[in-house]
Amino acid sequence: MSALVLAAERRIDFPLFVFSNVGDDSENPGTLRYVEEYAKPYAAEHGIELVEVHRVMQRTGESRTLMQDLTRPGSKSLKIPVRMSNGAPGTRSCTATYKIEQVGRELKRRGATPENPATIGIGISVDEIHRANNRITEPHERIVYPLLDLGLRRTDCARVIRDAGLPVPPKSSCFFCPFHRPETWHDQRRNEPELFEKSCQLEEHLNQVRDELGKDHVYLTRFGKPLREAIPDGVDLLPMFDEADGLCDSGWCMT
């Protein structure tokens, strides 16, 4: 959101913002509310185009969400970085499939080509500089980091947003993301129990499928136990002791 405000103030030159929604049943509900109540109206007020895209199956034209992919009958793949029994994250394809590819399709639809690549700004701040990875870019894109260029930290980004008269948005991710910190899981169980229950049910579903396949269980936390046990009810975690699980380095969850 800070990048959108900076664009509105003409401090950076980005006339188009693309929000790739992985699914209303998958995104953090707070993110979806913020986009509708604040981001889209603010963009429109300042003459900036903010478009929302979804994953659409090319052969059938069917829209598909990440949750639908994970729970589809017969599906054996795990697109999210579930934690293995040793706590290490597994491989993932969720960001590539539901974020990068969908943004790329939209940009190519608008004319981005290898000869005329689109400039894509990733909103990573200075205190997250380790997330500015060196992944191979697609021929139709050129990746830049406008917040790094301006030397902005996360606290600076929050100030930019508040100075524009807007509330600071919640952190964007799928509500069941295995990269959540333990503190985030505790907050979800305490403040959004229905959402926490959905996370638990997803983990249980994935392991039911793995039982049928004769595979070891996987988890949504690094603790090697079911989410209900790993994040007990009524137990709070002090933020200073919350070791970061956030190994995601793509920066695409809110593009």
Side-chain angles (χ1 to χ4, degrees):
M1 188 64 194
S2 57
L4 180 58
V5 173
L6 292 171
E9 295 175 349
R10 303 299 185 262
R11 295 171 63 184
I12 60 176
D13 184 17
F14 287 91
L16 170 68
F17 283 70
V18 182
F19 170 47
S20 184
N21 182 351
V22 306
D24 290 351
D25 58 357
S26 307
E27 293 277 2
N28 180 344
T31 296
L32 297 175
R33 287 193 297 270
Y34 193 95
V35 169
E36 291 299 324
E37 295 177 13
Y38 298 103
K40 287 183 178 179
Y42 182 84
E45 179 183 349
H46 292 84
I48 296 173
E49 188 176 2
L50 193 163
V51 299
E52 181 175 324
V53 298
H54 302 259
R55 185 188 181 197
V56 177
M57 309 305 291
Q58 290 183 305
R59 285 188 299 176
T60 64
E62 164 203 7
S63 292
R64 183 176 294 175
T65 71
L66 179 53
M67 179 67 81
Q68 288 172 340
D69 249 351
L70 292 170
T71 58
R72 184 165 46 90
S75 175
K76 300 179 182 179
S77 64
L78 291 175
K79 290 182 168 59
I80 59 175
V82 290
R83 299 303 183 115
M84 314 311 288
S85 57
N86 63 358
T91 58
R92 58 168 171 153
S93 61
C94 50
T95 301
T97 301
Y98 281 88
K99 294 290 184 179
I100 298 175
E101 288 181 12
Q102 307 318 311
V103 172
R105 284 185 187 178
E106 178 66 14
L107 296 178
K108 286 186 281 188
R109 187 185 70 81
R110 291 169 175 264
T113 65
E115 296 73 30
N116 184 32
T119 298
I120 300 177
I122 304 293
I124 290 177
S125 57
V126 170
D127 40 5
E128 302 173 311
I129 195 169
H130 60 281
R131 297 175 64 206
N133 60 20
N134 294 316
R135 73 173 184 84
I136 299 174
T137 59
E138 297 295 329
H140 64 272
E141 66 184 24
R142 183 175 70 91
I143 302 294
V144 297
Y145 298 93
L147 302 184
L148 296 182
D149 292 340
L150 292 174
L152 297 180
R153 296 185 175 275
R154 182 177 291 184
T155 53
D156 299 319
C157 294
R159 175 181 49 77
V160 166
I161 295 168
R162 286 194 296 266
D163 287 349
L166 298 166
V168 177
K171 193 167 184 179
S172 176
S173 66
C174 295
F175 70 84
F176 48 80
C177 181
F179 282 150
H180 281 339
R181 298 180 178 191
E183 181 187 3
T184 302
W185 283 120
H186 280 285
D187 285 344
Q188 188 180 109
R189 179 157 200 169
R190 180 176 58 252
N191 301 323
E192 300 175 286
E194 293 182 0
L195 208 59
F196 184 80
E197 177 62 24
K198 289 182 180 179
S199 298
C200 292
Q201 290 176 0
L202 173 61
E203 184 186 66
E204 291 164 358
H205 170 79
L206 297 179
N207 282 322
Q208 180 181 349
V209 172
R210 291 182 72 81
D211 284 339
E212 295 170 357
L213 296 172
K215 295 184 176 182
D216 293 342
H217 280 196
V218 294
Y219 306 99
L220 296 182
T221 72
R222 67 172 185 264
F223 301 121
K225 61 178 68 175
L227 186 58
R228 298 182 197 278
E229 299 175 22
I231 308 297
D233 191 18
V235 176
D236 286 330
L237 191 68
L238 292 177
M240 69 179 68
F241 297 113
D242 181 16
E243 182 182 342
D245 274 14
L247 302 177
C248 178
D249 64 352
S250 70
W252 284 81
C253 275
M254 187 63 165
T255 303

